[in-house]
Amino acid sequence: MGTEELIPIGIDLGSLHARVAIGNIAHQKLPSKGSVDTRPLPNVISNAQGSRFTLALVGIDKSLDDGAEERHVFGEAARRALARDKKPSISKDPSSMIRELIKSSSSMADSGDDEKSKNAAAFFQHLSELACDASSSHPSKLRTVVSVPVACTKEEQIGIVQSVECGISEAMAARKEDGAKKKKMKVEEEDNVVIGVISDPAAVCIAHGLTESENEAVDFTGGAASSEKASSSKNVLVIDWGASGLTATHIRCTSSSSGLLSIVRHEKDASCSGVAIAETLIAHCASMFERKNKVSGVLESVKAHHRLEMACESAVRTLSRAPTTTVTVDGLFEGIDCSVPISRPRFDMMINGILRKAETLLSSFVVDGEEFDAVLVAGNVCDMPSATNLIRTKLFPNASAGRGDVPADEAVAIGCARHAAAILSCDTHSKSNASGEDIGDTAREVTLCPLTIGVCIVEAGKENGELDAAISKGVPLIQVGDPLPSNVTRTINFDDLGSSSIAIVQMNGEDSKVKNKLIGKIDGIEADAKSIEVTVELTSEGSLSLSINGGESCKLC
């Protein structure tokens, strides 16, 4: 099956909601230096209710006729079904909802809890069918990248991979044309559907295009060499403010050519959660309702709590866009209607304690003295004006916000879909089945470059004696620690070279144990030329090759 037939999808398994995005593997030219990346983003899929997210709840539709096969319902429909059965919907620990589904899918069947296992498998099947319906494709063509929290253990990653593959297997079985009895169909070895697992902050960076490489210019005109990129590293703070809490991750882009990301620091405060914000509004509305109508015990009623919960969650989303809203529930308790007006200043005052805790956590990253080039946000809470004001105006006024068309709540799903499309476009995904015991089948081990390869200008006759002085004015192309294989393209600008040559050299950098070394020179440049395009490729086996202006590659060592 060719890569052009495969569908790259990204799945954001958040703490409370799941989102699915479809990527595009079409090769598109990167934007020029200094311009905005305007390439189309992956599409986030809407479910049957029109929501671009699905609540991690599974229920049974009991409205069917007797004798009819039971049908699973998901998201808000499942929450209504649970309310009819007087069962609680949202867990007190929202971070456990997706986690429990994953555990159910991977282990409940072995423990004999068939109902939980079926519910979990049905949920992941539902996500895969959303992708199939949106892309008009068969489940066997899906290739998925899934996001995980930074603190996710290897066992949890294995459970996530198994859960997603189980759901797609169920979708494949459900679409069998012969109409035979549905059976669990194993994914064939060559049909590995999970081609990557990445952390949530890495997905946010990918969504904003921070890992994209481009042809930067190296300027040798006017004396000392310089690069249009000020630094080879970029400090990024990713703020993920979702249902289970506020997390902040300091990420460093260690190389401009490889897109390699390194996590420097990671902090989380579960008390600053989106669920806590919604519960604050729920408690306020219940108190106002009881005081106005002289009743008590509103929140003790499962049905009333459920209906007020849905109305308050909707109100929080509305206050992200409008200055006022009204929490309205018909017949909330004992047949009495509820109508509580809420203004944005009043709401901000109610959640002021949560905002102060968030400021304390984020301020610790400011105290560290790091100058962040970009501060990227993800999660539903980051859509709130009070959260935006705290991050953008008060704490990080000078940092870049990334792409303006990436919604905060959909950034992780978009990043996963872009990563899946990038993997498929390079055709580097694993061909082995990833549903085994070891997650290593989906992770690629890479060799890191042990030295620095750079470019400089060397005058004729000074290739040996004054090489160190020439290299000190050079610009690195492939740096120590870059993953191999590495392929870097740079445009080299220069004045009249005269008797000088452009040289490819081994640079010691900060390591005095590595000797400077001349690897090769570029001769025969046209007299009137003022720039050339150089492509340097270093394989994992240590083979270095060079090509000029897109011409034939020449092996240097």
Side-chain angles (χ1 to χ4, degrees):
M1 183 182 295
T3 56
E4 67 279 357
E5 300 176 2
L6 303 178
I7 307 298
I9 66 172
I11 298 181
D12 172 17
L13 292 177
S15 53
L16 191 61
H17 302 97
R19 289 177 173 84
V20 181
I22 299 180
N24 180 11
I25 62 175
H27 297 272
Q28 293 177 320
K29 186 178 180 180
L30 286 169
S32 59
K33 187 67 178 178
S35 64
V36 178
D37 185 355
T38 58
R39 290 173 295 167
L41 292 174
N43 296 318
V44 178
I45 304 169
S46 300
N47 56 25
Q49 289 76 37
S51 298
R52 292 161 69 91
F53 59 86
T54 302
L55 190 65
L57 287 175
V58 182
I60 304 297
D61 187 358
K62 296 184 177 179
S63 62
L64 302 176
D65 297 334
D66 293 338
E69 186 178 357
E70 67 178 26
R71 181 170 66 91
H72 289 93
V73 290
F74 311 94
E76 296 299 336
R79 179 148 67 172
R80 289 192 292 269
L82 292 173
R84 287 193 296 268
D85 295 338
K86 297 184 178 180
K87 296 180 180 179
S89 54
I90 302 297
S91 170
K92 292 182 179 179
D93 178 15
S95 64
S96 68
M97 295 187 64
I98 288 287
R99 190 182 307 127
E100 287 302 318
L101 278 174
I102 292 169
K103 288 182 179 179
S104 298
S105 178
S106 58
S107 63
M108 287 298 180
D110 298 333
S111 64
D113 196 338
D114 291 335
E115 182 180 355
K116 287 186 176 181
S117 177
K118 289 180 180 179
N119 289 348
F123 180 76
F124 292 105
Q125 176 185 349
H126 172 68
L127 296 183
S128 63
E129 288 180 342
L130 287 178
C132 291
D133 293 341
S135 60
S136 301
S137 64
H138 191 270
S140 61
K141 294 185 178 181
L142 301 181
R143 294 297 180 268
T144 309
V145 168
V146 189
S147 69
V148 297
V150 171
C152 187
T153 64
K154 184 175 181 179
E155 289 72 21
E156 289 174 329
Q157 292 184 39
I158 293 173
I160 290 173
V161 173
Q162 291 176 337
S163 301
V164 174
E165 289 196 336
C166 177
I168 295 181
S169 297
E170 293 288 348
M172 291 170 63
R175 295 196 177 203
K176 291 180 67 175
E177 296 179 359
D178 56 6
K181 184 179 180 180
K182 295 179 183 178
K183 298 178 181 179
K184 184 176 180 180
M185 181 193 290
K186 292 184 179 179
V187 180
E188 297 297 334
E189 249 185 46
E190 63 274 13
D191 287 334
N192 174 31
V193 295
V194 178
I195 58 176
V197 178
I198 59 177
S199 65
D200 291 336
V204 176
C205 291
I206 294 172
H208 287 272
L210 295 189
T211 58
E212 302 286 357
S213 61
E214 54 187 270
N215 181 3
E216 300 164 10
V218 176
D219 192 5
F220 282 111
T221 61
S226 65
S227 174
E228 286 189 7
K229 193 176 184 67
S231 173
S232 60
S233 64
K234 179 184 286 291
N235 288 307
V236 181
L237 182 65
V238 179
I239 300 172
D240 191 346
W241 204 343
S244 62
L246 168 66
T247 62
T249 308
H250 176 191
I251 287 183
R252 179 170 290 129
C253 302
T254 59
S255 171
S256 60
S257 60
S258 67
L260 185 67
L261 303 177
S262 173
I263 295 178
V264 179
R265 180 185 170 197
H266 176 75
E267 298 290 342
K268 180 175 181 178
D269 189 344
S271 64
C272 300
S273 65
V275 170
I277 291 175
E279 287 292 340
T280 301
L281 183 57
I282 291 170
H284 170 76
C285 292
S287 175
M288 297 295 292
F289 177 82
E290 291 176 345
R291 185 185 309 173
K292 178 180 178 180
N293 298 287
K294 296 181 173 57
V295 296
S296 61
V298 173
L299 297 183
E300 296 176 4
S301 169
V302 175
K303 183 177 180 180
H305 188 283
H306 160 75
R307 299 184 66 191
L308 189 58
E309 181 181 67
M310 294 182 63
C312 287
E313 288 178 2
S314 177
V316 171
R317 289 192 290 269
T318 301
L319 287 172
S320 299
R321 304 179 300 273
T324 60
T325 188
T326 302
V327 179
T328 304
V329 183
D330 294 335
L332 174 63
F333 187 69
E334 295 182 356
I336 305 174
D337 297 337
C338 172
S339 180
V340 179
I342 301 292
S343 65
R344 187 182 291 167
R346 173 65 173 167
F347 177 67
D348 290 344
M349 186 181 68
M350 286 189 290
I351 65 171
N352 187 52
I354 296 176
L355 293 175
R356 285 202 305 270
K357 290 181 180 179
E359 183 177 358
T360 300
L361 173 63
L362 298 178
S363 295
S364 67
F365 286 84
V366 179
V367 172
D368 281 348
E370 289 286 358
E371 289 290 337
F372 292 106
D373 300 287
V375 175
L376 310 179
V377 296
N380 295 322
V381 181
C382 285
D383 286 333
M384 294 169 44
S386 53
T388 302
N389 181 68
L390 173 65
I391 295 170
R392 298 294 179 204
T393 305
K394 191 170 185 180
L395 296 176
F396 309 101
N398 299 321
S400 169
R403 287 187 62 152
D405 57 346
V406 177
D409 56 340
E410 298 175 353
V412 175
I414 289 173
C416 289
R418 293 191 76 173
H419 190 54
I423 294 175
L424 290 183
S425 65
C426 297
D427 196 22
T428 58
H429 59 288
S430 172
K431 300 298 182 180
S432 59
N433 188 8
S435 61
E437 296 181 356
D438 193 352
I439 192 65
D441 288 338
T442 60
R444 289 183 295 150
E445 295 184 1
V446 297
T447 303
L448 300 183
C449 184
L451 46 82
T452 298
I453 306 295
V455 60
C456 68
I457 291 182
V458 178
E459 294 183 26
K462 297 183 178 181
E463 290 83 353
N464 297 318
E466 299 184 21
L467 185 62
D468 289 343
I471 290 179
S472 66
K473 300 178 181 179
V475 174
L477 301 181
I478 302 175
Q479 302 190 56
V480 173
D482 284 2
L484 299 180
S486 179
N487 186 293
V488 178
T489 299
R490 294 287 185 271
T491 298
I492 311 239
N493 299 322
F494 49 84
D495 288 326
D496 185 12
L497 291 175
S499 60
S500 301
S501 300
I502 296 176
I504 304 298
V505 294
Q506 174 181 310
M507 307 173 68
N508 61 20
E510 298 178 356
D511 188 357
S512 58
K513 296 179 181 180
V514 178
K515 294 182 179 181
N516 291 328
K517 178 181 178 182
L518 178 66
I519 299 176
K521 295 192 301 179
I522 304 174
D523 294 323
I525 300 176
E526 296 180 3
D528 57 346
K530 297 299 181 182
S531 67
I532 60 171
E533 185 180 79
V534 175
T535 299
V536 178
E537 182 177 9
L538 181 61
T539 67
S540 55
E541 292 78 20
S543 177
L544 181 66
S545 59
L546 172 74
S547 65
I548 306 299
N549 294 329
E552 184 178 352
S553 179
C554 174
K555 187 175 180 180
L556 300 180
C557 63

